Amino acid sequence: SPGAPNSAMMQIDPSAVNFRGDLSLPVRDGRSLKLMGAVRTSYWDIYRDPARQRALKNWDRLDPLMTNAIMDLDVDAGRYSTIEHRGDLSYYDLHLAGQYSPDDFSRIRFSAYAADNQITTGLINEQTDDVNIPGYLYAVDAHDWSNQMIQAQWAKMISPRLDLNIQAGYSENSFDHVNRAGVTDFRPGEGFFSVLSSSSDASFSESERLLPTQIDGNRIRHFQISSEASYSFLPSFSITGGIKSERIYSDVTITEPDPVLTVADQYSTLLSGFLTADHQAGRHWRFSYGSRFTWLNTTNRLYAEPRISAQYDQTESAVGYWSFRIAGGLYRQFINEYRITNTGPTAIVPEIPIWSHTGDTAIPKAWHITTSFLVEPTDQATITAEWFYKWHPSANFTAYTESDGSSAVVRDQVSAFGISTEMRTWGFGVRYSQSLGNRRARLTAGYDFSFAEIDLTRQFGRPVSTPWNEPHRTHVSALVRIQPNLMITTTWRGIWGRSWAYRRAYYNFLLFDDSVPELSERFANPDRDQLPAFHQTDMMIIWQPSAGKADLELRAGLINLFNQKNILEKTLVPVYQNGTQTGYEEKARRMPGIYPNFSLRIKL
């Protein structure tokens, strides 16, 4: 939203610079058009943040197990060692927003957004043991995400009882991926790195090997127009209803080594409406109940999503103010995210998120119930607790296609990479916040527990925990205001119980590799593959001086104060003795250790 009229702000930190301007333009009768414009951009080519550069180099390593499994080399990839690495990062985003009120009872708002994010790595590896085989093995992994959005809305208070809102918008998101690997007798020259992200085969003279289930691209375009109205029958009773029309196009392109081309190119129309009633019953109870209805043209069915909530507020009690809320209902997902394993030898991005329709799989749905409790024993202390349970009788997960040996096969169903299965999740969280010393200090502490299990009988023969679950999370933070314009903040967080410790591609591909039976058995129980606890402590000093008409904010501090080099995932590297492989050694992709961080913000 537009902020203070006629202001400007610049902020810079080790990875990006951000400019924002707010402008108020007089129109008529004392009314103004409020505008906001912002641009943020990285400057990797000018200054490379050492912490990110170290992490990028550490993550961009050849994985011998996956390289041998997918490239069918004549030599063990474990005998190649890295001799050169290059990595590039870049991103920018642009944002424009405006607001105008023609009169006291109506408002027009609009916004537009555009962004692009890229990450590219190139790796050259060398072997000198055998002159009869290629001396160099290279790998490239390049990702490019692009997003655009524009929307406008008009809101008006038709009468003291009736509010109306109309909105229209369009968004477009695209993703392009280049994943290359190959061998060559001659060391690739400087030109190799200059065309890392090129999609042209002519850019490479080296011998390339196609990789399984390589995601080449994903597009989704979304048009929508909606209208919403709220009417108050009584001070204690109101209803809100709305209708929406959506048109969505999506496609996903996957190349396999036969070659097999999977093209999930779909479009759908969604017509939906909802009606919700809000009811205040007496001094303490509030109820909300209603349903959403959606018609989907691809199935020609109408889907209902009933929902209800109840809240009790007690302003005066022996423990102070407290509130309790319980809510539940049915939720459906018509456009879905799938996380495809990156099979590249380096896989700088381990998983590639793509968006698509459900296609011929079931529409995912979840029954959800949640409760929350808030108590404020004093005006300086707050305690909150939450609990939730979700049952997904139909949930989406990623499956991996197997080629039937034919060539030039085209598949056009989402089931080429997506399956429908069952999942259940539940968890709870507790938070405590306390002000001290006449609000000169504030202490916050919290703990979260979550359980998430998905039925992957097809892959592991049983239900297993989800790869993304972090069962135990704890955080403690403190803010101390030394002077009105000088503060110190410290934050510690810990995570325990993470499973699926190895690279995801191991579970999805090496599990079925009969040529290495000891590895196939090793990756059959992801629940048992535990990662060490994650710990990180950050400390920051915040100084907010004034310099004439400018407000300044300088932040300086240390990230990961105690140099905890937390593990993101594990990989295996073959160990050799007298030219014979004797076993495997665990390696880890780690987060950066301690590093300084700063930002400078100037607002006029």
Side-chain angles (χ1 to χ4, degrees), residues 186-228:
F186 303 98
R187 176 171 177 169
E190 191 65 26
F192 165 76
F193 292 105
S194 66
V195 293
L196 287 183
S197 60
S198 172
S199 60
S200 171
D201 292 335
S203 302
F204 292 84
S205 60
E206 294 82 4
S207 172
E208 292 187 54
R209 307 295 177 94
L210 292 172
L211 308 179
T213 55
Q214 173 177 311
I215 302 297
D216 294 324
N218 178 211
R219 304 282 187 279
I220 185 164
R221 293 176 293 151
H222 188 177
F223 301 85
Q224 73 162 26
I225 183 169
S226 62
S227 177
E228 182 177 312

Side-chain angles (χ1 to χ4, degrees), residues 70 103 188 197 218 232 389 392 395 400 422 434 460 472 548 600:
I70 66 178
D103 52 58
S197 60
N218 178 211
S232 297
Y389 177 84
H392 308 251
Y400 296 87
E422 183 178 352
Q434 175 73 58
F460 300 104
H472 306 277
L600 173 64

Side-chain angles (χ1 to χ4, degrees), residues 132-144:
N132 297 316
I133 60 175
Y136 299 93
L137 189 157
Y138 69 87
V140 176
D141 202 14
H143 305 254
D144 185 353

Side-chain angles (χ1 to χ4, degrees), residues 33-306:
L33 172 63
K34 298 179 180 180
L35 298 173
M36 185 281 290
V39 56
R40 178 181 58 170
T41 180
S42 61
Y43 48 91
W44 182 264
D45 293 337
I46 300 174
Y47 171 77
R48 302 194 171 193
D49 179 18
R52 288 175 174 81
Q53 195 169 17
R54 286 193 302 269
L56 201 60
K57 186 175 182 179
N58 181 40
W59 298 345
D60 187 34
R61 295 191 308 222
L62 186 74
D63 189 309
L65 272 65
M66 285 304 301
T67 305
N68 290 336
I70 66 178
M71 293 186 63
D72 192 24
L73 296 175
D74 297 327
V75 64
D76 188 348
R79 298 186 180 277
Y80 286 80
S81 58
T82 301
I83 60 173
E84 190 169 2
H85 153 86
R86 300 277 183 94
D88 286 306
L89 297 169
S90 68
Y91 59 87
Y92 74 85
D93 51 45
L94 306 170
H95 188 189
L96 174 67
Q99 176 177 304
Y100 178 68
S101 297
D103 52 58
D104 293 338
F105 306 103
S106 61
R107 182 184 64 194
I108 299 171
R109 301 181 71 179
F110 60 88
S111 60
Y113 177 82
D116 189 78
N117 303 267
Q118 299 180 13
I119 178 171
T120 304
T121 58
L123 193 67
I124 299 177
N125 302 270
E126 181 184 33
Q127 70 83 25
T128 57
D129 296 334
D130 190 343
V131 296
N132 297 316
I133 60 175
Y136 299 93
L137 189 157
Y138 69 87
V140 176
D141 202 14
H143 305 254
D144 185 353
W145 295 267
S146 178
N147 307 278
Q148 296 85 37
M149 182 279 294
I150 186 169
Q151 67 88 29
Q153 56 181 291
W154 171 75
K156 185 175 181 62
M157 187 172 72
I158 305 297
S159 73
R161 294 176 180 265
L162 177 63
D163 293 323
L164 179 65
N165 182 80
I166 298 175
Q167 182 183 27
Y170 169 76
S171 66
E172 181 175 338
N173 312 87
S174 63
F175 166 69
D176 291 295
H177 181 220
V178 176
N179 201 347
R180 301 182 181 276
V183 292
T184 177
D185 292 320
F186 303 98
R187 176 171 177 169
E190 191 65 26
F192 165 76
F193 292 105
S194 66
V195 293
L196 287 183
S197 60
S198 172
S199 60
S200 171
D201 292 335
S203 302
F204 292 84
S205 60
E206 294 82 4
S207 172
E208 292 187 54
R209 307 295 177 94
L210 292 172
L211 308 179
T213 55
Q214 173 177 311
I215 302 297
D216 294 324
N218 178 211
R219 304 282 187 279
I220 185 164
R221 293 176 293 151
H222 188 177
F223 301 85
Q224 73 162 26
I225 183 169
S226 62
S227 177
E228 182 177 312
S230 178
Y231 187 82
S232 297
F233 289 91
L234 299 168
S236 60
F237 182 76
S238 65
I239 61 170
T240 302
I243 57 174
K244 178 187 290 187
S245 175
E246 300 172 85
R247 183 73 166 178
I248 306 163
Y249 300 84
S250 71
D251 66 79
V252 182
T253 305
I254 305 175
T255 302
E256 294 194 88
D258 289 311
V260 175
L261 183 64
T262 298
V263 181
D265 188 356
Q266 298 179 307
Y267 66 89
S268 63
T269 299
L270 286 84
L271 301 176
S272 60
F274 76 94
L275 188 65
T276 301
D278 293 293
H279 181 202
Q280 179 82 33
R283 294 180 53 195
H284 305 294
W285 284 100
R286 285 190 292 170
F287 298 94
S288 178
Y289 39 88
S291 183
R292 177 178 293 275
F293 299 91
T294 302
W295 178 81
L296 179 63
N297 73 318
T298 56
T299 60
N300 198 28
R301 286 184 54 191
L302 183 67
Y303 301 89
E305 299 170 88

Side-chain angles (χ1 to χ4, degrees), residues 315-334:
T315 57
E316 298 177 0
S317 72
V319 295
Y321 169 78
W322 63 271
S323 176
F324 176 80
R325 183 177 184 267
I326 182 170
L330 175 63
Y331 295 80
R332 299 181 188 268
Q333 185 78 14
F334 298 96

Side-chain angles (χ1 to χ4, degrees), residues 347-401:
I348 189 65
V349 178
E351 293 181 311
I352 300 172
I354 61 173
W355 292 87
S356 182
H357 297 62
T358 54
D360 54 2
T361 60
I363 301 294
K365 63 180 180 180
W367 290 98
H368 185 191
I369 183 172
T370 180
T371 62
S372 58
F373 180 75
L374 165 69
V375 59
E376 295 180 352
T378 69
D379 60 355
Q380 297 189 13
T382 302
I383 302 171
T384 59
E386 297 179 65
W387 173 88
F388 78 93
Y389 177 84
K390 280 186 181 182
W391 174 51
H392 308 251
S394 299
N396 279 342
F397 201 70
T398 304
Y400 296 87
T401 58

